[in-house]
Amino acid sequence: MTGVANNTPAADERVKEISPLRQALIRPELGGMVGTVAVFTFFLLFASDSGMFNSQGVLNWSIVSAQFMIIAVGACLLMIAGEFDLSVGSMIGFAGMMIAIFSVTLGWPVWIAILTTFVLCIAIGGLNGFIVIRTGLPSFIVTLAFLFILRGFTIYLPQLIERKTIIGGIKDAAEGDWLAPIFGGKILQSLFTWLGDAGLITTFSRGSRMGEPIVDGIPMLIVWAIVLVVLGHVLLTKTKFGNWIFAAGGDAEAARNSGVPVNKVKILMFMLTAFCATVFAVCQVMEFGSAGADRGLLKEFEAIIAVVIGGALLTGGYGSVLGAALGALIFGVVQQGLFFAGVESSLFRVFLGLILLGAVILNTYIRRIITGER
Amino acid sequence: MNSENSPIIQMKNIEKHFGSVIALAGVSVDVFPGECHCLLGDNGAGKSTFIKTMSGVHKPTHGDILFEGVPMYFADPRDAISAGIATVHQHLAMIPLMSVSRNFFMGNEPEKSVGPLKFFDHDYANKVTMEEMRKMGINLRGPDQAVGTLSGGERQTVAIARAVHFGAKVLILDEPTSALGVRQTANVLATIDKVRKQGIAVVFITHNVRHAMAVGDRFTVLNRGKTLGTAQRGQITPEELQDMMAGGQELVSLEGSLGGTV
Ligand SMILES: Nc1ncnc2c1ncn2[C@@H]1O[C@H](COP(=O)(O)OP(=O)(O)OP(=O)(O)O)[C@@H](O)[C@H]1O
Ligand SMILES: [Mg+2]
């Protein structure tokens, strides 16, 4: 940039100098950043003695935030590409149930059950996209249909096969499996043991696990969230494909005329959303050891809210994965923080509504500055 | 234009129907390398539809397209672009929410390799965008400025600069000067002249006879989906061209009071 400015003979005299601070702040993630600071300030002031910020508390809201992040990454890239997926929640329930049926009912090795479920769910995501592209219907309607279809199967199949709506026994089935720990395991256990021995984090003071740290590692769920956020951010901002995602959502017709394979981009983003939902589902099933017919209810809206708090434009073409990750963090911290603070859980909704409104107003203001939208 | 040259694009009896609307009823045009071929005609004559079949946006209902002598069936604009045909559409194909340099390289992103991975080369894209825009007489505030913050003419200039940059063999311009100021229009006409001399074929749609006469080598007039024929430069006067463009109909008598400046 500076190199270019140097050999420009006459700089544009009609441009006011913008202070570096203002320039650094004017970015799509600003709403999410302000929201994050506000939320942490709030809870540090009002709930610091509730245990929310000791190792266990941090782990607690980190896990919830990571769950939101995993599905927010898919929802964010899909929204920037100009589409919605309302079937994410049902997909989470469906994916979990399929793993349970494959591994417990049919007795397949867990890794085969997981991989088969991934293939199946990504194919359903692709089908969602294919129908949207082929019919030209709004993705809102198409994926709403899949919200019902997938949820219906998720309730019907276990009742048909096992005569119940929850299938357990997955922990036993996953014993010794090589793939299951990638979703349900923990990392850095020795580090946490060392931290516990060094007295830096709390340890159990009695019982059979006395001396062991209460938090004994970082769950793979959090690792997945971080990896997906980083990969999603790099894909969107640093690659050719990222440019296509923006273009497909900004104006599909213009993008097509410029040679962007819009249909391919959109279908791939539907598949990515399904992939993220399945990652969520596998982590959840491995943690609980069971699959339930009501898992993932309303998750699609939570993902969309996180994405919008993060600065994405509902109509596509604009947004940020980092912003969406901050949105997910806000969501997780608020939900668990109010729980720690002992506040009535219904107030969670009030608080969330206010944050949503505030962040979106700020985001809209910033977006207008950046894009010249009127 | 060299007569011993063979045409780069031959459009043979192109028909295009939109449902019951016959937008093109059998139009044949040859475009040669190094010529500026002007396409003229009234509103709704089918000019945009015609160049869209050339650039892969529409598939012709009937008729054949030969590119460098071989039949060519562009499945989508991407095929046409890889064949070296770049187009400035009447509606520009720009995305307001995206930055100028992202728009400039949309569909043709430059990449740099980092190990086995490939990344969008933003530095190169920004540099080229600023350079190309400066050549067209526009000083951008910065390559990361969103297209939505540009004026209509500035947007049009980005689209033209982009097409000139990527139009390796054929450059199609659909009313590129409709929103441009005097200096930028002169720049665009000079650019057309320059790329033509480099052997690139230019298809230039305009409603302005003076612009057409300034750079055109041949003139094809469309009227209600049909050609009224192609004329060589020097074989036709601006007045004749003007009359043909109006579909042979008398221009309204107001012309006198406008001082004949239409
Ligand atoms: N996608 C479409 N669907 C239906 N009809 C169309 C479509 N595109 C063009 N037409 C019709 O085809 C005819 C020719 O349109 P076209 O845009 O090619 O005209 P034009 O010569 O470019 O006019 P102008 O000078 O106003 O740009 C018009 O009657 C138009 O209504
Ligand atoms: Mg037109």
Side-chain angles (χ1 to χ4, degrees):
Chain A
M1 218 346 262
T2 43
V4 172
N6 285 341
N7 52 36
T8 307
D12 198 329
E13 70 287 355
R14 294 174 304 173
V15 184
K16 279 194 279 186
E17 277 298 318
I18 304 173
S19 76
L21 176 69
R22 190 176 141 94
Q23 206 154 21
L25 282 179
I26 298 293
R27 46 191 305 128
E29 298 90 7
L30 181 61
M33 290 179 340
V34 172
T36 307
V37 172
V39 163
F40 274 99
T41 314
F42 179 86
F43 285 110
L44 279 170
L45 288 178
F46 295 104
S48 55
D49 52 354
S50 65
M52 184 177 166
F53 293 100
N54 64 27
S55 60
Q56 212 182 350
V58 170
L59 182 71
N60 178 294
W61 52 256
S62 298
I63 288 179
V64 175
S65 302
Q67 288 183 332
F68 288 131
M69 274 181 210
I70 288 172
I71 48 175
V73 170
C76 177
L77 292 175
L78 182 65
M79 193 185 289
I80 297 174
E83 306 292 342
F84 274 115
D85 189 349
L86 295 185
S87 67
V88 167
S90 298
M91 181 74 88
I92 291 171
F94 179 77
M97 194 53 77
M98 292 323 286
I99 289 170
I101 290 175
F102 290 149
S103 62
V104 176
T105 310
L106 300 181
W108 295 2
V110 169
W111 65 272
I112 296 182
I114 293 175
L115 292 182
T116 311
T117 304
F118 267 107
V119 171
L120 181 65
C121 290
I122 292 172
I124 294 173
L127 179 64
N128 260 328
F130 182 77
I131 296 175
V132 168
I133 298 294
R134 263 305 157 93
T135 60
L137 289 171
S139 47
F140 179 82
I141 298 297
V142 174
T143 57
L144 187 64
F146 274 87
L147 179 153
F148 290 114
I149 294 170
L150 291 177
R151 183 64 68 190
F153 276 126
T154 311
I155 299 170
Y156 176 74
L157 289 177
Q159 282 180 322
L160 179 77
I161 301 169
E162 299 252 347
R163 307 204 164 279
K164 53 190 179 185
T165 54
I166 295 181
I167 299 181
I170 298 173
K171 276 220 170 96
D172 296 337
E175 203 62 55
D177 190 83
W178 64 269
L179 189 57
I182 308 272
F183 295 91
K186 288 181 176 161
I187 58 163
L188 299 180
Q189 270 136 323
S190 46
L191 174 69
F192 279 82
T193 309
W194 179 82
L195 285 174
D197 292 344
L200 294 171
I201 53 174
T202 27
T203 50
F204 286 104
S205 50
R206 52 201 148 92
S208 60
R209 296 180 59 195
M210 199 173 104
E212 290 177 31
I214 296 178
V215 175
D216 60 354
I218 297 194
M220 282 307 290
L221 177 81
I222 294 179
V223 177
W224 271 102
I226 293 171
V227 168
L228 282 173
V229 168
V230 171
L231 288 185
H233 174 71
V234 170
L235 178 74
L236 183 65
T237 58
K238 305 268 188 275
T239 70
K240 162 163 122 176
F241 195 82
N243 210 38
W244 292 355
I245 296 176
F246 280 120
D251 184 338
E253 198 59 41
R256 242 179 234 120
N257 287 351
S258 304
V260 175
V262 172
N263 295 352
K264 189 172 114 184
V265 170
K266 291 197 171 188
I267 290 176
L268 278 172
M269 288 304 100
F270 274 105
M271 294 166 81
L272 176 73
T273 310
F275 172 82
C276 291
T278 312
V279 171
F280 182 114
V282 182
C283 289
Q284 195 180 46
V285 162
M286 291 306 151
E287 189 196 339
F288 291 174
S290 68
D294 62 346
R295 295 275 163 78
L297 265 184
L298 292 182
K299 283 291 171 225
E300 55 280 338
F301 291 106
E302 294 170 355
I304 289 172
I305 291 170
V307 171
V308 172
I309 291 179
L313 183 59
L314 272 170
T315 47
Y318 190 84
S320 147
V321 174
L322 294 184
L326 290 177
L329 181 63
I330 292 174
F331 216 112
V333 171
V334 172
Q335 185 177 330
Q336 297 311 104
L338 290 178
F339 167 75
F340 274 102
V343 179
E344 185 67 30
S345 79
S346 49
L347 279 182
F348 164 62
R349 294 158 205 243
V350 176
F351 203 74
L352 199 65
L354 290 175
I355 289 191
L356 177 66
L357 200 59
V360 171
I361 290 173
L362 184 56
N363 286 335
T364 309
Y365 169 74
I366 292 166
R367 199 179 61 240
R368 289 201 178 133
I369 296 180
I370 297 178
T371 64
E373 237 180 295
R374 277 161 277 263
Chain B
M1 185 201 64
N2 259 325
S3 52
E4 71 263 18
N5 275 354
S6 48
I8 182 153
I9 298 186
Q10 288 169 278
M11 306 286 284
K12 293 192 162 167
N13 242 328
I14 301 293
E15 286 186 35
K16 179 68 195 175
H17 306 178
F18 294 106
S20 61
V21 179
I22 302 176
L24 295 172
V27 177
S28 301
V29 169
D30 291 347
V31 184
F32 290 84
E35 78 163 338
C36 173
H37 196 122
C38 292
L39 213 51
L40 308 152
D42 256 355
N43 292 130
K47 305 181 296 295
S48 297
T49 309
F50 188 66
I51 60 105
K52 280 182 182 166
T53 59
M54 229 185 247
S55 61
V57 175
H58 291 323
K59 286 183 199 65
T61 314
H62 292 292
D64 296 304
I65 305 177
L66 303 186
F67 184 75
E68 296 180 322
V70 282
M72 198 62 157
Y73 299 99
F74 296 133
D76 56 37
R78 202 169 173 71
D79 291 349
I81 292 167
S82 358
I85 303 177
T87 312
V88 177
H89 288 281
Q90 196 168 3
H91 299 294
L92 294 185
M94 287 275 148
I95 299 186
L97 291 168
M98 279 166 45
S99 74
V100 176
S101 73
R102 277 183 177 272
N103 264 288
F104 196 97
F105 285 93
M106 174 169 53
N108 288 296
E109 291 79 1
E111 291 187 307
K112 61 172 180 227
S113 298
V114 178
L117 302 172
K118 286 204 171 113
F119 294 99
F120 189 147
D121 192 344
H122 282 291
D123 294 334
Y124 173 80
N126 290 346
K127 195 180 76 183
V128 171
T129 306
M130 292 301 277
E131 266 166 26
E132 295 291 325
M133 289 303 287
R134 206 171 314 116
K135 278 189 212 160
M136 304 294 291
I138 301 248
N139 245 331
L140 282 184
R141 268 160 270 172
D144 44 9
Q145 188 183 353
V147 161
T149 63
L150 299 179
S151 79
E154 286 171 330
R155 278 183 217 199
Q156 206 162 35
T157 314
V158 180
I160 296 167
R162 174 175 71 179
V164 170
H165 189 78
F166 291 106
K169 291 180 180 163
V170 180
L171 176 61
I172 302 174
L173 306 166
D174 191 349
E175 300 189 31
T177 53
S178 59
L180 296 192
V182 185
R183 194 161 59 91
Q184 282 75 18
T185 302
N187 262 326
V188 169
L189 296 179
T191 308
I192 291 177
D193 191 48
K194 192 180 76 198
V195 301
R196 171 182 57 183
K197 284 185 179 133
Q198 292 163 0
I200 293 169
V202 182
V203 178
F204 178 35
I205 299 181
T206 179
H207 287 287
N208 188 315
V209 176
R210 281 192 294 147
H211 294 171
M213 291 311 264
V215 290
D217 295 302
R218 292 196 301 154
F219 309 89
T220 297
V221 182
L222 289 190
N223 184 32
R224 301 177 69 78
K226 295 204 175 74
T227 37
L228 293 178
T230 300
Q232 293 273 353
R233 178 187 194 80
Q235 293 175 350
I236 191 166
T237 66
E239 290 71 31
E240 284 168 336
L241 204 54
Q242 184 112 313
D243 282 348
M244 274 172 86
M245 281 169 67
Q249 287 158 18
E250 291 286 306
L251 287 183
V252 283
S253 56
L254 200 61
E255 201 194 326
S257 62
L258 290 174
T261 50
V262 187

